[in-house]
Amino acid sequence: MIKIDLITGFLGSGKTTFLKKYAAWLVSRGEKIGILENDLGPVNVDMMLLKSLEGENCELEMISGGCDRETHRRRFRTKLIAMGMSGYDRVLVEPSGIYDTDEFFDALHEEPLDRWYETGSVIAVVDAKLEPDLSEAADYILASEAACAGCILISRTQEALEGETAETIAHLNRALEKVQCGRRLRAGEEILCRNWDDFTDADFERIASCGFVPADYVKRGLRDKEPFDSLFFMNSSVTEEGLRTAAARIFGDPGCGRVFRIKGFFKKEGMDGREAWSELNATRHKTVISPIEEGQEILIAIGEGLNKEKIERYLQGGTEG
């Protein structure tokens, strides 16, 4: 049977960064893997970030976003059926940062998937610098992703201030308590708190074999995309300096809404004078711009109650919302 891993994480937690490291390790061990990506909207930015992994032993597939949950479930099941006939040793599923994990488990209990796949590792990625005052809806997503995870990976531990990682774990436990889940998490057991650049083979082996926890919690219905928004800005002509300034202003202006992440691609002049692609990945705590081989002129803002007009004015160079 094909092992299938689920990698979840709230918006901007760093799950795609982890996925790249994990997938590269699996390939280095001789496994043939398939990666199934989906995102909130019709353009899958995260899939572009994984292009460098593609090769003989790693293939990328995607489910297009922008659809209702029932349509998404059908597309997920159909894609897994197709991937089940591709000879993979393991499939890695990275859903959007707003995901009902029951969709994953329910699909694997349906024919013919129950004969082709076995649940491998369920991994939840949580930012060490998790915001302390998340909404009820965001806390529910956080709890539902952590409840059944065999391993919780704390991201950006090297950037966290003293006490932030401990407070993040405490926040996770409060969120679990809110949904009446009896599970409580502790560092060093279910939680791996280390700089991912320092992961050893033993760390990855632990993650690859962590399994999942059949935890119970009180479910609540998730409305399609609500209260979370994703806004798309195409063909934005903006400089790197302009983007850094715009991101800082957007995160600092409550009138823009509760922005969790801004990501995407833009062109800038390279060292040789030719245009080159760059990737933007911005959260409230940090803005990272790095070169990438190919991209698409698009910027995406993700969050709650977003004000498109204000965000767009900042991205176009305005100084006021």
Side-chain angles (χ1 to χ4, degrees), residues 85-321:
M85 297 181 283
S86 298
Y88 298 123
D89 298 304
R90 189 182 297 250
V91 168
L92 312 181
V93 177
E94 184 194 6
S96 76
I98 302 163
Y99 182 69
D100 184 348
T101 55
D102 278 354
E103 178 180 328
F104 174 78
F105 292 110
D106 290 347
L108 297 186
H109 283 92
E110 296 179 6
E111 291 187 345
L113 299 180
D114 60 344
R115 293 184 279 110
W116 297 351
Y117 290 96
E118 62 176 326
T119 306
S121 295
V122 175
I123 304 154
V125 180
V126 181
D127 192 341
K129 299 175 76 68
L130 185 70
E131 294 188 36
D133 57 341
L134 292 177
S135 68
E136 289 295 316
D139 265 350
Y140 173 78
I141 294 292
L142 189 68
S144 66
E145 291 178 343
C148 296
C151 183
I152 289 96
L153 299 180
I154 304 298
S155 63
R156 304 186 180 98
T157 55
Q158 70 276 17
E159 300 170 16
L161 301 175
E162 184 177 358
E164 282 187 323
T165 298
E167 177 51 36
T168 289
I169 296 171
H171 188 150
L172 271 174
N173 284 324
R174 290 194 298 271
L176 289 168
E177 186 176 7
K178 284 182 183 178
V179 297
Q180 299 178 39
C181 178
R183 188 179 185 192
R184 295 296 178 268
L185 303 167
R186 292 174 295 276
E189 296 183 11
E190 307 98 329
I191 299 180
L192 190 53
C193 301
R194 291 185 60 197
N195 185 339
W196 295 351
D197 291 336
D198 298 331
F199 275 7
T200 63
D201 284 344
D203 291 320
F204 282 115
E205 285 168 358
R206 172 183 170 184
I207 293 166
S209 60
C210 70
F212 67 98
V213 176
D216 293 325
Y217 61 94
V218 175
K219 293 277 295 180
R220 57 172 280 185
L222 292 176
R223 295 170 292 170
D224 292 327
K225 296 187 182 178
E226 298 292 343
F228 304 98
D229 301 318
S230 56
L231 302 179
F232 294 78
F233 304 93
M234 308 293 291
N235 302 315
S236 297
S237 178
V238 62
T239 64
E240 177 175 338
E241 182 180 356
L243 264 182
R244 290 186 183 277
T245 300
R249 288 172 174 162
I250 289 168
F251 285 114
D253 184 354
C256 291
R258 187 78 175 269
V259 183
F260 291 115
R261 187 182 182 192
I262 305 170
K263 62 181 180 179
F265 308 102
F266 67 99
K267 285 183 180 179
K268 70 173 187 177
E269 189 173 296
M271 296 290 291
D272 56 2
R274 293 184 296 180
E275 285 189 331
W277 286 105
S278 290
E279 170 204 349
L280 168 72
N281 189 358
T283 65
R284 184 174 302 277
H285 304 292
K286 189 175 184 180
T287 295
V288 177
I289 293 176
S290 51
I292 192 169
E293 288 188 8
E294 58 181 289
Q296 180 177 345
E297 287 188 322
I298 183 171
L299 298 172
I300 304 174
I302 304 171
E304 295 177 279
L306 302 185
N307 185 318
K308 183 174 183 179
E309 290 71 25
K310 284 198 170 192
I311 293 172
E312 190 166 34
R313 282 202 292 272
Y314 281 127
L315 291 175
Q316 290 174 348
T319 58
E320 296 183 0

